[in-house]
Amino acid sequence: MSDKYKRIAIVTGTTSGIGEATMRKFVASGFGVVGNGRNAEKLAMLENEMGSAFCSVAGNAADNAVLEQLFAIANDRFGREADIVVANAGRGLGGSVKDADLTQFEDVLKINVSGTLALIQKAAQKMVDIQQNIYPESAADIVIIGSVVGRHISPFSAVYGASKYAVHALTEGLRREVGPKGVRVSLVE
């Protein structure tokens, strides 16, 4: 079954927005995709619509057990490890430093920073091991969805911007670490 798909992707946050659009583009391009989101009903609907090229794991992308499942299912379902991982899951938080609702900030940090870090770390560990034997003949990509407010801080979303600033730093550090080992790391803002 491994030759049926051009690439195997893991995409978090596939139940809406950028994550859903990315998953749809990947499936249309001949990729096998394992998606993630918290809305199990929406994931089931997407599985029915997309067919055998898409399967999903419901749950919070900041949960290590969910991340383990994503990688295991990619291999079990499609017969090989994921060679592209898109860290898209996240959430916003409006408000300035002075006025932001800090009762929600821990959740923002957990999904936007800790969850992203856990996902890209796991992806990097797996991909570096694989690439040492097949690079440069084969591609491996880690794509992180950031935000322009991580670089151009707005007083109206500075707290959220701080989480995306952290994501930018993690991405750049990972790029410098694993790029020379055959894993491309990209930040999309």
Side-chain angles (χ1 to χ4, degrees):
M1 191 172 211
S2 64
D3 292 338
K4 181 176 180 179
Y5 299 102
K6 293 178 186 176
R7 297 189 71 183
I8 306 304
I10 292 172
V11 182
T12 61
T14 57
T15 54
S16 65
I18 293 169
E20 183 177 349
T22 300
M23 175 275 295
R24 288 178 181 280
K25 179 69 173 176
F26 283 174
V27 168
S29 297
F31 293 15
V33 181
V34 181
N36 161 260
R38 291 177 292 191
N39 185 336
E41 186 177 306
K42 174 76 184 266
L43 289 170
M45 183 207 73
L46 290 169
E47 284 183 349
N48 287 334
E49 178 186 346
M50 304 311 292
S52 63
F54 177 72
C55 61
S56 65
V57 174
N60 190 323
D63 180 345
N64 196 52
V66 170
L67 298 180
E68 289 290 339
Q69 280 186 289
L70 290 170
F71 286 91
I73 289 174
N75 201 356
D76 292 347
R77 173 75 174 257
F78 300 113
R80 64 182 196 262
E81 297 285 345
D83 57 19
I84 183 167
V85 171
V86 179
N88 170 67
R91 64 164 288 199
L93 178 62
S96 66
V97 171
K98 181 176 78 57
D99 297 322
D101 180 357
L102 297 184
T103 63
Q104 296 184 45
F105 187 56
E106 189 173 319
D107 276 349
V108 171
L109 284 178
K110 185 175 181 184
I111 190 66
N112 291 7
V113 181
S114 300
T116 297
L117 173 57
L119 176 61
I120 66 176
Q121 181 183 67
K122 189 172 298 301
Q125 290 167 349
K126 290 181 174 293
M127 289 178 177
V128 166
D129 284 349
I130 293 167
Q131 287 297 90
Q132 73 183 9
N133 297 320
I134 59 176
Y135 174 75
E137 288 77 30
S138 184
D141 293 278
I142 300 172
V143 179
I144 298 98
I145 306 302
S147 174
V148 294
V149 300
R151 291 181 195 247
H152 305 287
I153 305 301
S154 162
F156 306 108
S157 61
V159 176
Y160 166 74
S163 74
K164 292 303 185 174
Y165 192 87
V167 166
H168 169 83
L170 293 170
T171 302
E172 189 57 34
L174 184 62
R175 178 185 298 114
R176 293 175 187 197
E177 179 183 4
V178 302
K181 297 175 181 176
V183 180
R184 298 179 294 209
V185 179
S186 303
L187 177 66
V188 178
E189 297 177 325

